[in-house]
């Protein structure tokens, strides 16, 4: 991993903590018991962060279509720099979702990346 790796994870932890502290209440108190019909705050937060990931991927698609001038109604509405920015949003959102799922997000990610690397490139 690069020298920026600790800064990336520090930033992800900061954003995760900020999002966690600014979670809006949905007006449905829940004790987290499945029979009450409402997900616990943790479950709801995880679900919403997973859905946010899909939203961000859609924004990448919209930016690519706009950068390629493939929407006759909107024309050339985006640049390739917009696509880069949207891809960064996907990565950030995915890492925050992973951090929401586990406090060991860094270790999980690094381990998975190494397995994918070895599967694709062979052992080091």
């Amino acid at each position: 991993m690069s020298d920026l790796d600790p800064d990336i994870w520090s930033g992800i932890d900061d954003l995760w903590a900020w999002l966690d502290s600014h979670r809006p209440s949905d007006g449905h108190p829940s004790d987290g018991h499945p029979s009450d019909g409402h997900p616990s705050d943790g479950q709801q937060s995880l679900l919403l962060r997973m859905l946010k990931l899909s939203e961000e991927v859609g924004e990448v698609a919209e930016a690519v279509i706009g950068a390629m001038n493939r929407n006759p109604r909107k024309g050339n509405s985006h640049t390739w720099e917009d696509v880069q920015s949207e891809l960064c949003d996907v990565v950030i959102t995915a890492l925050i979702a992973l951090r929401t799922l586990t406090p060991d997000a860094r270790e999980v990610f690094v381990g998975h990346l190494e397995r994918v690397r070895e599967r694709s490139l062979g052992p080091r």
Side-chain angles (χ1 to χ4, degrees):
M1 294 271 124
S2 74
D3 291 335
L4 294 177
D5 185 54
D7 293 336
I8 290 169
W9 289 104
S10 174
I12 294 302
D13 284 340
D14 291 346
L15 289 167
W16 173 82
W18 179 82
L19 284 168
D20 206 48
S21 70
H22 287 83
R23 244 187 300 171
S25 172
D26 66 359
H28 296 288
S30 173
D31 63 5
H33 192 273
S35 66
D36 69 5
H38 300 287
S40 69
D41 284 346
Q43 290 172 324
Q44 185 176 38
S45 179
L46 180 59
L47 174 62
L48 291 174
R49 289 181 188 167
M50 298 300 165
L51 292 174
K52 181 66 175 170
L53 184 54
S54 294
E55 177 191 354
E56 294 296 342
V57 169
E59 290 177 11
V60 170
E62 180 181 7
V64 169
I65 290 167
M68 295 181 71
N69 197 19
R70 296 296 184 194
N71 185 335
R73 189 172 49 86
K74 293 183 179 180
N76 192 357
S77 60
H78 291 77
T79 65
W80 288 108
E81 288 79 19
D82 294 328
V83 175
Q84 292 172 11
S85 178
E86 296 298 345
L87 285 168
C88 289
D89 287 348
V90 169
V91 172
I92 291 166
T93 302
L95 293 177
I96 290 171
L98 181 60
R99 174 59 185 88
T100 302
L101 188 60
T102 176
D104 300 323
R106 178 182 179 155
E107 293 79 12
V108 169
F109 180 79
V110 169
H112 187 75
L113 179 60
E114 186 58 28
R115 286 188 299 277
V116 170
R117 186 196 159 285
E118 285 182 15
R119 185 174 62 231
S120 300
L121 304 175
R124 288 187 186 210

